[in-house]
């Protein structure tokens, strides 16, 4: 009988763990790989049709000099991430992308803003 109770309790705890993950909405983190050159960025992934969610921006400095990376909410201009990058350095940051969209640039080695403003709802 004790063995049955132990197995029942273990199954109940496992089920609660899975239910907790589902309720927490543990969505996968999607990655955006960017290479920064002198005056421009290149992206490994296609950046159109993004959906709201958490994105990991992985940025590599290929400019051969100190550069920076800045991400903002397009509508509010709130800075969501900002950091410098030494030559050859790669850094990453997690950014919550909303339906507002985001934009990024280098504030040190001036580049134009890159707008990611076509954010489509999931579904």
């Amino acid at each position: 009988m004790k063995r049955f109770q132990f197995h029942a309790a273990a199954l109940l705890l496992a089920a609660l763990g899975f239910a907790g993950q589902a309720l927490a909405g543990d969505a996968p983190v999607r990655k955006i790989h960017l290479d920064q050159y002198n005056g421009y960025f290149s992206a490994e992934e296609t950046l159109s049709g993004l959906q709201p969610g958490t994105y990991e921006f992985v940025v590599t400095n290929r400019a051969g000099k100190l550069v920076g990376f800045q991400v903002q909410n397009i509508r509010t201009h709130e800075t969501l991430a900002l950091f410098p990058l030494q030559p050859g350095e790669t850094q990453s940051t997690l950014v919550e992308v909303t339906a507002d969209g985001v934009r990024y640039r280098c504030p040190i080695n001036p580049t134009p803003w890159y707008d990611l403003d076509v954010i489509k709802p999931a579904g």
Side-chain angles (χ1 to χ4, degrees):
M1 185 67 169
K2 286 183 182 182
R3 185 177 213 185
F4 172 76
Q5 289 172 337
F6 173 78
H7 288 300
L11 286 172
L12 179 61
L13 286 175
L16 288 173
F18 287 124
Q21 280 184 330
L23 290 174
D26 291 337
V29 173
R30 291 158 278 191
K31 290 188 179 186
I32 296 175
H33 295 86
L34 300 173
D35 288 331
Q36 184 174 353
Y37 296 92
N38 286 311
Y40 70 95
F41 286 89
S42 68
E44 185 177 310
E45 294 82 11
T46 300
L47 300 180
S48 64
L50 299 180
Q51 295 181 345
T54 304
Y55 287 82
E56 180 180 7
F57 283 80
V58 181
V59 186
T60 300
N61 177 353
R62 302 207 187 277
K65 61 184 176 183
L66 178 68
V67 297
F69 183 70
Q70 179 181 16
V71 181
Q72 284 185 344
N73 176 294
I74 286 179
R75 186 178 58 79
T76 67
H77 293 180
E78 172 190 1
T79 295
L80 305 174
L82 176 65
F83 52 84
L85 287 150
Q86 296 295 327
E89 183 180 15
T90 299
Q91 282 195 46
S92 65
T93 185
L94 293 176
V95 174
E96 191 64 30
V97 174
T98 67
D100 290 348
V102 294
R103 63 186 191 164
Y104 62 90
R105 71 172 182 158
C106 173
I108 297 172
N109 180 24
T111 61
W113 284 105
Y114 287 76
D115 292 350
L116 304 179
D117 57 351
V118 183
I119 310 300
K120 301 186 185 240

